[in-house]
Amino acid sequence: MPSAALSTLSRRRWLLAAGAAAVAVPALAQVAVGSASRLRHLVPAEQLEQSAAQQYAQLLQQARAKGALVPDGDAQVQRLQAIARRLIPFTPPWNERARQWQWQVALIRSDEINAFCMPGGKIAFFTGILDKLRLTDDEVAMVMGHEMAHALREHAREQLAKNSATGIGLSLGAQLLGLGDLGNYAARLGGQLLSLNFSRSDETDADLVGLEIAARAGFNPQAAVRLWEKMGTATGSNGQGLNFLSTHPSGPQRIRQLQANVPKVQGLYEQARRR
């Protein structure tokens, strides 16, 4: 068979395999989001999660050395951990790998308005987002659910796959025999995890998935609208410490979209409150 035909056949087989492995939207989901990206399969999930765990540990070690890591006995840390414990049981339908994740929650002293969840369930909040925005528990749950959703939907894995495919001139045909050196490359890419910019569709995805997870856990979905109204107000301030908003832009369209989806999960919230 001519090499060109072999290349076309190989590409089709790869696409079919990637499609078969794509994470489906849970059957009982109330929000409408698409299936997770097929491209993410170019980066091995286990290696990326291991790399994220190492980077997270280094981050906490550095924060501890600077006296910036808030101890576990602190009331704010316990508050974050309690909210996480309510959200975590509702994560596996969005990603089966979440059942095995070793979830962690940390609080770092910083004026930055920021929070994140790395692949594998490694969560960090900065004190600035809690203090400057005076977040209620419901609003914290919306932030945390949003960040969890990025990890569950493997947006970082997808973005790194795009970066790696471009950076090393990936040949799809060569990857059919096993991902070549891409697995090792994925480990090195872990250092980019805190500097990734997600797409507008990724942000919408995380908004809606996080909204549903939080509602199922008994947090008021109306808080998502209030949260982003607060974010919008913060955007109009002096602009200092708004790292969260640089990667999670606020705006009327985002708020309208959340308002349209709150009624879809309101029943889940009310049911959770009756439990």
Side-chain angles (χ1 to χ4, degrees):
M1 184 179 293
S3 59
L6 280 172
S7 177
T8 300
L9 179 60
S10 295
R11 186 174 291 105
R12 287 175 179 170
R13 286 175 178 168
W14 181 85
L15 290 172
L16 287 172
V23 174
V25 175
L28 298 179
Q30 301 301 299
V31 295
V33 293
S35 296
S37 170
R38 299 170 180 175
L39 186 62
R40 73 192 194 285
H41 293 288
L42 290 173
V43 174
E46 289 185 8
Q47 292 194 24
L48 183 59
E49 290 166 11
Q50 290 171 5
S51 181
Q54 292 171 0
Q55 187 178 352
Y56 185 77
Q58 291 171 359
L59 175 68
L60 298 192
Q61 183 178 13
Q62 292 169 0
R64 187 180 293 109
K66 297 177 180 178
L69 183 64
V70 182
D72 285 344
D74 184 90
Q76 285 282 53
V77 177
Q78 293 180 353
R79 175 193 182 202
L80 291 174
Q81 292 174 342
I83 291 171
R85 284 195 294 270
R86 288 174 59 180
L87 296 174
I88 289 169
F90 300 97
T91 60
W94 293 97
N95 189 327
E96 277 297 314
R97 294 188 62 81
R99 297 186 188 277
Q100 283 74 48
W101 287 356
Q102 299 299 310
W103 293 88
Q104 289 180 256
V105 182
L107 179 61
I108 297 173
R109 290 190 183 91
S110 171
D111 288 337
E112 291 185 8
I113 296 178
N114 211 351
F116 60 83
C117 179
M118 299 173 76
K122 306 304 183 184
I123 301 168
F125 271 65
F126 291 174
T127 53
I129 196 169
L130 300 177
D131 299 339
K132 291 185 178 181
L133 299 187
R134 298 182 180 181
L135 298 182
T136 65
D137 285 359
D138 289 318
E139 291 164 351
V140 169
M142 297 303 153
V143 174
M144 192 177 293
H146 174 100
E147 296 306 320
M148 285 178 163
H150 276 308
L152 294 167
R153 301 288 282 171
E154 300 184 312
H155 293 152
R157 188 180 173 197
E158 175 189 357
Q159 189 60 49
L160 290 175
K162 292 177 181 177
N163 293 351
S164 64
T166 301
I168 66 175
L170 179 65
S171 168
L172 293 181
Q175 304 311 310
L176 289 172
L177 300 178
L179 294 174
D181 67 348
L182 192 56
N184 294 329
Y185 190 68
R188 298 195 298 273
L189 285 172
Q192 301 179 17
L193 287 172
L194 295 180
S195 61
L196 292 175
N197 289 323
F198 298 126
S199 68
R200 185 181 298 272
S201 62
D202 287 345
E203 288 300 320
T204 298
D205 202 49
D207 278 350
L208 300 186
V209 173
L211 179 71
E212 176 158 328
I213 289 173
R216 288 184 182 276
F219 293 100
N220 190 342
Q222 293 287 348
V225 176
R226 295 196 300 270
L227 168 68
W228 288 103
E229 288 174 344
K230 286 185 176 182
M231 291 290 186
T233 300
T235 305
S237 66
N238 59 18
Q240 295 180 351
L242 298 182
N243 284 3
F244 188 86
L245 294 175
S246 69
T247 53
H248 302 72
S250 180
Q253 182 177 359
R254 188 169 206 157
I255 291 173
R256 285 194 298 269
Q257 189 166 45
L258 284 167
Q259 288 172 329
N261 279 274
V262 164
K264 298 178 182 179
V265 300
Q266 187 70 29
L268 299 176
Y269 163 66
E270 294 170 357
Q271 182 180 6
R273 297 299 293 174
R274 290 195 294 269
R275 289 199 297 264

